[in-house]
Amino acid sequence: MATLGDALRLPAGSTVLDLACGKGELLCTWARDHGVTGTGVDLSTAFLADARARAADLGVADRVGFVHGDAGRYVADEPVDLVACVGATWIAGDTPGTVRLMERSVRPGGMLLVGDVFWRVDPPREAVEAIFGDLRGVDCLSLPGAVERFHELGYDVVELVAADERGWDRYVAASWLSMRRWLDANPDDELAPEIRAELTRSQSQHVRWQRPYLGWAMFALMRR
């Protein structure tokens, strides 16, 4: 997100709407580093509490706000300069549906920012099942396929930041240490067996399927 924020060269005062904002890292750090203002929307009250705390820690609570609500139905009262949906392109059914939702809130000439997975190589059926479970409704394309879909939706891809294997490791493996430390501190908790199973499953899935087959990218889009 920091790399993309630098690449987009957003003018100070640019307005941002972040749909399914999670803990607000994009909004908070871009407000600090680039002077943007904006709103994040998410269903999780726990995530929103962390987002507000993050904004306060970074001294940007006067420039960003967070709304508890269904991001899959949210449309800004006034058009904004950039609408983001990073890692939640299912909120309006699928990626095309989410893009159509996002474009309802962006001003003419503004940008959409879409963060989504893609297949790095053609995956075997076992990889698809391991990562997504039910094969029905899997909305994941190759990187060329993703770019071509944006073209079909009427957009140019004007910036692209993609994760490599090292980036995946840093994102996924950080949770392993957190889970292990929680297990060591809470061995008798009723959730301990579930966390233990998830720790084992996550390690195996990452190194066997996610790391070699699944990619991750953030695409900045402008209407053609």
Side-chain angles (χ1 to χ4, degrees), residues 130-131 168-169 171-181 183-184 194-212:
I131 294 170
W168 264 130
D169 292 345
Y171 177 75
V172 177
S175 68
W176 301 343
L177 182 58
S178 297
M179 284 190 281
R180 175 52 195 265
R181 284 179 169 164
L183 285 167
D184 289 347
E194 181 180 340
I195 300 299
R196 160 50 61 193
E198 173 60 20
L199 177 56
T200 302
R201 186 203 64 80
S202 176
Q203 294 168 17
S204 297
Q205 176 172 294
H206 177 63
V207 297
R208 183 181 293 275
W209 304 119
Q210 185 165 286
R211 195 176 196 270

Side-chain angles (χ1 to χ4, degrees), residues 68-151:
H68 178 237
D70 183 358
R73 299 175 180 270
Y74 192 91
V75 177
D77 294 333
E78 298 289 338
V80 300
D81 297 311
L82 183 145
V83 180
C85 182
V86 178
T89 51
W90 41 264
I91 60 172
D94 54 17
T95 299
T98 299
V99 169
R100 294 307 184 207
L101 170 68
M102 297 167 71
E103 64 189 13
R104 295 172 62 189
S105 295
V106 72
R107 66 165 177 80
M111 289 186 187
L112 305 184
L113 175 58
V114 177
D116 211 353
V117 291
F118 64 90
W119 294 120
R120 298 180 62 197
V121 295
D122 192 28
R125 182 183 180 91
E126 294 85 352
V128 181
E129 291 177 335
I131 294 170
F132 291 106
D134 192 342
L135 294 178
R136 293 172 297 178
V138 173
D139 185 27
C140 187
L141 305 174
S142 66
L143 186 56
V147 171
E148 289 163 8
R149 177 161 64 182
F150 291 132
H151 291 169

